[in-house]
Amino acid sequence: MRKIRIPQKRGFYYMLALPALLVLLLFFVLPLLITLSAAFTDGRGAFSLATIIKTFTNPYTLRIMRFTLVQAALSTLASVIIALPGAYLLSSYSFRFKRLILALTAVPFVIPSILVVLGFVIFFGNNGFLNLFLMRIFGFSEPPLKILYSFGAIILAHTFYNFPIIMNLVASYAMHLDTTLEAASYTLGASKVRTFFSVTLPRLVPAIVSAATLVFLFCFSSFAIILVLGGGPKYTTMEVEIYRQARMMGNTAAAAALSLFSILVTGLLLVAYNKSQRRLAQGELYRDEQRAQNRKPASLVGRLLALLYTFITLLFVLAPIISVVVRSALSPAGFSLKWYRQLLALELAGSHMGSALPALLNSLVIATVVAIVATSLGTGLSASIARRTRSKTLLEWLGMLSMTVSSVIIGLGYFLISSQFRVGQSLSYLLVVIAHLVIAIPFTLRAILPAYRKIPLSYAHSARTLGSSAPKAFFSVELPLLKSAMASAAIFAFALSMGEFNATLTLSSATIVTLPIVMYRLIGSYNYQGACALGTILIIVSALVFLVTARPKGTRHGI
Amino acid sequence: MVSDQLICTLNASYEQFQLSANFTVREGELACLIGPSGCGKSTTLQLIAGLLPLEEGTITLGGIDLSKLEVHQRQIAMVFQAYALFPHMDVGQNIAYPLKLRKVARSEQQERVDQLLKLVSLSGYEKRRVDELSGGEQQRIALARALASDPQLLLLDEPLSALDAKLRKHLREEIRRIHDETGITTIYVTHDQEEALSIADRIIVMRDGQVVQSGTPEEIYHAPASLFVATFIGEGNTIDTNAVENDPENDSVLFFRPEQVTAHRGDSSFEREFLPHYLFDDAFLESCEFQGGRYRLRARWKEWNISCYSDHRPKGRRVTLSVRKKDTLIFPRTNE
């Protein structure tokens, strides 16, 4: 039966999208176009493909491209290899620390990259806790693990950051799969091992591919990790090179040309990821309750795995974070809250540390503004997408668009614009806010849209028939139902902004201070303890987000 | 052929009940395990298959105790309620799966797959994908796959409950036919007693984890061992005995089937009932349904409901019913 389209009176909802649309068009699309256009001009401003050709035929560029892809591929591979036995463990057995491990695997979703870098340096560095511990135990005179500032460090840091993600995504998918197929396989004569390889693993492949695509995307766009742990021109990736060309070499045209490549790759990866997610959604019998996992690992293998993965997850996920907190209270003389006192300007501090308090305050203010505005825009956009009858996919796509572009490139856009004009300090901060906003909107959209879709249109309709206007119906009936989704979105946007490093660094001048920027400078000047004090604050913020958002996932596929 | 019987003595405890099921199934029989929801019938099947651990007891098939063996060593095939076909393989690969495990030669695999597809009336389906199949088709493919593993025992766990009534009727006949052609000992779990009555060689009735009666369908129907079995299988009428016998001390319950009740014509051409009978006169007729070949009457006599059949539509709202004493059963009252 053909569905008759009745023209709906949805004017109000259409209008709700306008603020977000305006922001996105004005502050994302426009700067992006300006940035990319810089790639198509020669020195005198005329259209030319010379810059692009020059950039991409340069062997240096090609080496960087290759390195970027190779490190991302290796990191992804390593993450998958480490994650898979863990995912198998989590989905098949129940053991003592299972809940803890599962919870910990969600940590990388909320931790800012600058914190990853710091934790890594503090824990795995030459004078880090791991080496000190090993030296103490085995009596070495030299730190045995010299991994920092090398290719290995990059891969290791990426793996540390990403394998829990794969474990989480694959295990949550696996835990909801119907176990009857395995039972059927047993009754047909296949052993447990055979069943795993013939029946379970093929069904997990789509989830593994999806998670790996996401991780590859993260590793490809990785910035802070490369910047700090890469340690030099030998280990530069695309994003770092874009930053370098724009900020240090003043070669904006080259930076823009490189951005083209970056956007192409990240765009393709996101399309691939979305496709893979949709495949998972169409997949097979999906049970909403988790299958009862009452099997204690009876075999030696199972028990060993459980022990191993408890250890690995704790080591890789928790240890660096704890190290940061511990180190923040250490001075050469032992336990000391000196850095916190300096942070809070209770004590006189060195140059970078002196800007710590203003940085903290700036970050808090910026994050609050971003949280409020991004949530509002995201809510309006969600309402419009959910209630529209036409062009809803276009709108949704537009809302998610800023995810296809790396934060460095977003920052680059603002840098280009601000360098054209004399931009005062307050305007610079405004640009930071806008950059964070643009980055945050897709995430708030992602948090609120599903919740909004669950609200039946009949609620607003009843309110209208009872006498309220469309806006009133929206605010009094629908909005209250979105409270928890909006709170999640706001907290997530807040944490995103607090920890945002890539765009902020790219667009800011030396006078701008936010928490991650000062952390970066402190690391650069080897004031690790100070950086840790700041890092601890970030950890607290991340922990808050984690507690609020990492509840038992109602969504199928993780994020 | 005692040695090829399946003898189960199963003991296991669960939150809801204590499972203590002892029964025997003869070789080649199609036995239906039946009972109310939660009585332990699916659990029993899973215990036999080895998918659940058995606390205490034995599962003897052909003289060998299977309870110590792993699931995949028992040669017991099972068809699940949700079919459990592997979605990443097509129909042919699904059926060939147990053959591949047993390292059967490729050409022989193909032959066997064709054979089995023919057996379940789905020839030509080898290349189809699982998500292209209807419920009934998936069911039959699952059955074919189970048979491909050449089992000594076939377990079917409510295989038809996800299908609509008409398809159920058709498929249960198919299952019976396939059973007869292959001759494999089969245990079939269902909550649908009509299904059980129509295809089983033996019916095992379970309640709260215990086997309450085991026998042929006729035995179960005509000679139920308890009031529970009597009311669970088929339809029945129950009346306190002391309502029809003047014996207030008598605390038992009278039970009889609707088809054994005679509805008397209201006119004088009534034939006297000569055999000893109970008479329910002046019962109030609550409803009369025309079922095509006959009428189904529901009447109320004193405080009891009696249902029965009649070849005519009674005139007026009062009827007289009777049932021969020899067609009734007496059960002690149980606390239901």
Side-chain angles (χ1 to χ4, degrees):
Chain A
M1 186 173 85
R2 180 94 63 78
K3 215 171 167 203
I4 301 169
R5 264 187 193 272
I6 300 173
Q8 302 276 358
K9 293 176 112 173
R10 304 272 177 93
F12 172 67
Y13 289 110
Y14 279 68
M15 292 221 328
L16 276 181
L18 280 182
L21 268 183
L22 222 63
V23 166
L24 285 172
L25 284 172
L26 214 56
F27 297 118
F28 171 65
V29 178
L30 198 58
L32 187 63
L33 289 176
I34 293 178
T35 309
L36 295 181
S37 70
F40 293 96
T41 55
D42 60 13
R44 284 149 306 173
F47 179 82
S48 151
L49 290 176
T51 319
I52 298 182
I53 297 174
K54 196 168 71 157
T55 313
F56 288 106
T57 49
N58 184 345
Y60 178 65
T61 311
L62 293 174
R63 187 153 64 78
I64 295 180
M65 280 164 67
R66 198 169 44 233
F67 179 76
T68 314
L69 292 170
V70 165
Q71 63 85 15
L74 281 177
S75 305
T76 309
L77 190 63
S79 304
V80 169
I81 291 177
I82 296 189
L84 277 188
Y88 171 68
L89 176 71
L90 285 173
S91 60
S92 311
Y93 299 105
S94 84
F95 54 96
R96 192 136 37 117
F97 296 115
K98 179 168 175 172
R99 275 194 183 277
L100 173 68
I101 304 298
L102 257 181
L104 284 179
T105 59
V107 165
F109 285 111
V110 299
I111 214 175
S113 57
I114 190 72
L115 207 47
V116 173
V117 168
L118 184 60
F120 204 76
V121 169
I122 300 296
F123 188 70
F124 290 102
N126 290 355
N127 295 316
F129 286 113
L130 186 61
N131 271 318
L132 288 177
F133 177 74
L134 289 175
M135 279 164 66
R136 185 76 69 81
I137 296 283
F138 294 109
F140 295 130
S141 56
E142 284 270 314
L145 295 173
K146 288 210 176 84
I147 42 182
L148 241 43
Y149 313 120
S150 65
F151 183 67
I154 294 178
I155 305 292
L156 198 58
H158 281 164
T159 309
F160 141 62
Y161 189 36
N162 289 304
F163 91 85
I165 292 181
I166 301 188
M167 254 169 73
N168 180 298
L169 292 179
V170 175
S172 0
Y173 181 72
M175 283 195 283
H176 286 89
L177 286 182
D178 192 5
T179 45
T180 323
L181 270 71
E182 275 80 12
S185 178
Y186 297 148
T187 63
L188 291 167
S191 64
K192 288 217 180 82
V193 175
R194 183 66 192 262
T195 301
F196 178 75
F197 283 104
S198 320
V199 177
T200 316
L201 202 55
R203 294 197 296 153
L204 288 181
V205 163
I208 298 173
V209 166
S210 184
T213 310
L214 191 65
V215 166
F216 188 87
L217 178 62
F218 286 165
C219 294
F220 178 84
S221 339
S222 174
F223 180 65
I225 292 176
I226 311 283
L227 204 57
V228 175
L229 297 178
K234 231 183 1 160
Y235 306 120
T236 304
T237 61
M238 212 57 313
E239 301 300 307
V240 171
E241 187 62 13
I242 292 174
Y243 169 75
R244 209 176 69 89
Q245 288 288 348
R247 296 302 308 262
M248 296 183 194
M249 314 283 283
N251 191 347
T252 51
L258 294 172
S259 303
L260 282 174
F261 173 71
S262 167
I263 295 178
L264 185 67
V265 175
T266 51
L268 283 175
L269 284 172
L270 269 171
V271 166
Y273 178 68
N274 276 324
K275 261 224 178 84
S276 70
Q277 285 283 294
R278 241 173 299 151
R279 257 197 77 201
L280 283 182
Q282 289 164 355
E284 47 171 281
L285 209 64
Y286 182 79
R287 283 153 48 121
D288 279 319
E289 350 83 55
Q290 293 190 354
R291 57 190 200 185
Q293 290 307 331
N294 291 323
R295 278 160 46 197
K296 294 249 172 247
S299 63
L300 187 61
V301 171
R303 266 202 285 259
L304 270 180
L305 265 184
L307 204 64
L308 184 66
Y309 273 87
T310 308
F311 180 67
I312 289 183
T313 322
L314 285 176
L315 182 71
F316 276 101
V317 179
L318 217 49
I321 296 177
I322 296 181
S323 313
V324 168
V325 179
V326 167
R327 188 68 181 271
S328 69
L330 282 181
S331 76
F335 179 80
S336 152
L337 289 176
K338 167 163 113 172
W339 307 105
Y340 287 101
R341 289 200 294 271
Q342 289 192 3
L343 165 62
L344 297 172
L346 299 172
E347 210 181 78
L348 208 53
S351 62
H352 289 306
M353 211 51 206
S355 47
L357 187 59
L360 177 59
L361 294 173
N362 287 338
S363 286
L364 286 172
V365 169
I366 294 175
T368 310
V369 171
V370 169
I372 295 175
V373 178
T375 306
S376 316
L377 293 179
T379 307
L381 201 54
S382 302
S384 197
I385 293 175
R387 296 294 183 230
R388 264 171 188 262
T389 46
R390 292 183 304 183
S391 55
K392 48 164 68 174
T393 20
L394 179 64
L395 207 57
E396 189 173 350
W397 188 79
L398 206 62
M400 296 293 196
L401 198 58
S402 70
M403 279 182 80
T404 56
V405 175
S406 78
S407 329
V408 171
I409 298 177
I410 292 180
L412 178 62
Y414 293 119
F415 173 69
L416 288 180
I417 293 177
S418 69
S419 60
Q420 297 292 348
F421 318 98
R422 262 300 181 85
V423 178
Q425 255 223 352
S426 35
L427 203 54
S428 297
Y429 278 110
L430 188 61
L431 285 179
V432 173
V433 172
I434 296 177
H436 290 193
L437 195 59
V438 163
I439 294 174
I441 286 181
F443 291 95
T444 58
L445 188 61
R446 242 215 182 111
I448 300 177
L449 188 57
Y452 198 94
R453 286 198 165 120
K454 289 201 186 121
I455 303 177
L457 189 53
S458 48
Y459 287 8
H461 279 176
S462 345
R464 306 276 311 265
T465 61
L466 291 168
S468 80
S469 63
K472 186 124 195 245
F474 173 71
F475 284 105
S476 60
V477 173
E478 294 185 317
L479 218 50
L481 293 172
L482 288 174
K483 265 201 288 243
S484 71
M486 284 171 71
S488 285
I491 292 180
F492 200 85
F494 183 86
L496 202 73
S497 170
M498 282 287 285
E500 213 292 318
F501 176 69
N502 305 5
T504 320
L505 186 68
T506 310
L507 80 86
S508 64
S509 64
T511 55
I512 294 198
V513 282
T514 64
L515 204 61
I517 300 283
V518 176
M519 272 175 73
Y520 173 63
R521 291 179 188 155
L522 285 168
I523 296 175
S525 59
Y526 303 107
N527 185 350
Y528 293 121
Q529 292 85 327
C532 286
L534 295 174
T536 307
I537 300 194
L538 261 188
I539 289 176
I540 295 174
V541 172
S542 305
L544 186 68
V545 179
F546 175 70
L547 287 174
V548 169
T549 61
R551 60 199 179 285
K553 302 259 178 220
T555 55
R556 284 184 201 195
H557 310 295
I559 12 178
Chain B
M1 303 241 273
V2 177
S3 61
D4 285 336
Q5 278 178 341
L6 166 72
I7 307 172
C8 293
T9 54
L10 307 170
N11 283 300
S13 36
Y14 299 96
E15 297 164 17
Q16 296 93 342
F17 54 78
Q18 190 73 19
L19 185 81
S20 180
N22 303 329
F23 57 88
T24 306
V25 177
R26 294 209 191 93
E27 192 200 2
E29 255 186 353
L30 182 95
C32 270
L33 203 53
I34 186 175
S37 303
C39 69
K41 25 187 221 300
S42 290
T43 312
T44 303
L45 274 198
Q46 299 201 337
L47 285 169
I48 297 177
L51 293 166
L52 284 177
L54 183 62
E55 262 175 33
E56 224 194 299
T58 56
I59 303 167
T60 317
L61 183 59
I64 305 174
D65 181 13
L66 299 176
S67 53
K68 301 285 178 265
L69 295 177
E70 289 285 325
V71 178
H72 59 277
Q73 296 168 321
R74 294 192 187 196
Q75 282 193 288
I76 299 177
M78 187 156 166
V79 175
F80 297 82
Q81 197 169 346
Y83 323 133
L85 294 177
F86 304 138
H88 56 286
M89 301 181 191
D90 63 31
V91 165
Q93 289 164 332
N94 261 282
I95 300 178
Y97 182 75
L99 300 172
K100 242 175 87 175
L101 287 173
R102 288 157 181 77
K103 310 219 188 335
V104 169
R106 268 297 189 86
S107 52
E108 216 190 297
Q109 275 183 35
Q110 188 56 50
E111 217 184 284
R112 190 91 179 94
V113 169
D114 289 337
Q115 243 174 35
L116 287 165
L117 282 174
K118 184 145 170 263
L119 180 63
V120 299
S121 316
L122 287 175
S123 291
Y125 271 59
E126 296 95 354
K127 292 292 172 217
R128 300 253 188 134
R129 303 224 61 92
V130 172
D131 52 21
E132 294 171 13
L133 303 173
S134 72
E137 289 166 346
Q138 286 191 39
Q139 191 47 274
R140 284 181 277 169
I141 301 294
L143 188 56
R145 182 180 67 179
L147 292 172
S149 66
D150 204 14
Q152 318 177 58
L153 180 63
L154 182 63
L155 306 175
L156 301 164
D157 191 355
E158 302 214 38
L160 305 180
S161 44
L163 306 170
D164 64 75
K166 200 158 177 211
L167 196 53
R168 267 214 299 275
K169 270 217 168 93
H170 170 64
L171 280 182
R172 78 181 185 216
E173 286 164 13
E174 284 286 288
I175 290 180
R176 178 76 222 190
R177 172 186 66 80
I178 294 170
H179 166 264
D180 292 339
E181 277 186 48
T182 56
I184 300 182
T185 314
T186 306
I187 303 182
Y188 184 114
V189 160
T190 178
H191 60 270
D192 183 347
Q193 39 90 15
E194 195 207 316
E195 214 165 83
L197 287 175
S198 60
I199 62 171
D201 294 321
R202 163 182 304 277
I203 295 184
I204 302 168
V205 184
M206 282 185 76
R207 187 190 189 197
D208 291 337
Q210 313 267 355
V211 173
V212 291
Q213 187 171 0
S214 167
T216 65
E218 288 83 353
E219 282 166 16
I220 303 277
Y221 189 80
H222 292 302
S226 67
L227 188 58
F228 166 74
V229 178
T231 47
F232 187 77
I233 305 280
E235 297 222 25
N237 298 301
T238 52
I239 296 186
D240 280 355
T241 313
N242 56 28
V244 283
E245 307 269 15
N246 272 323
D247 185 4
E249 300 292 311
N250 195 330
D251 200 25
S252 61
V253 171
L254 204 66
F255 176 87
F256 47 96
R257 302 272 179 207
E259 61 267 19
Q260 289 157 333
V261 177
T262 314
H264 297 192
R265 289 181 176 277
D267 54 7
S268 50
S269 59
F270 160 62
E271 287 158 24
R272 258 190 202 289
E273 175 63 76
F274 288 108
L275 297 171
H277 62 279
Y278 295 113
L279 189 70
F280 310 107
D281 64 3
D282 206 33
F284 178 72
L285 184 68
E286 291 197 324
S287 71
C288 172
E289 275 174 25
F290 180 50
Q291 293 193 326
R294 57 188 180 179
Y295 295 87
R296 191 211 164 86
L297 311 178
R298 274 197 231 305
R300 193 162 179 79
W301 180 77
K302 296 204 179 157
E303 71 255 40
W304 314 107
N305 292 321
I306 301 179
S307 64
C308 63
Y309 298 102
S310 167
D311 58 355
H312 63 281
R313 187 185 281 275
K315 297 197 182 71
R317 301 289 336 232
R318 306 224 78 106
V319 284
T320 299
L321 309 169
S322 69
V323 65
R324 293 179 178 161
K325 286 192 185 179
K326 71 172 175 67
D327 292 331
T328 64
L329 293 168
I330 297 184
F331 293 110
R333 179 187 301 282
T334 50
N335 292 330
E336 294 291 331

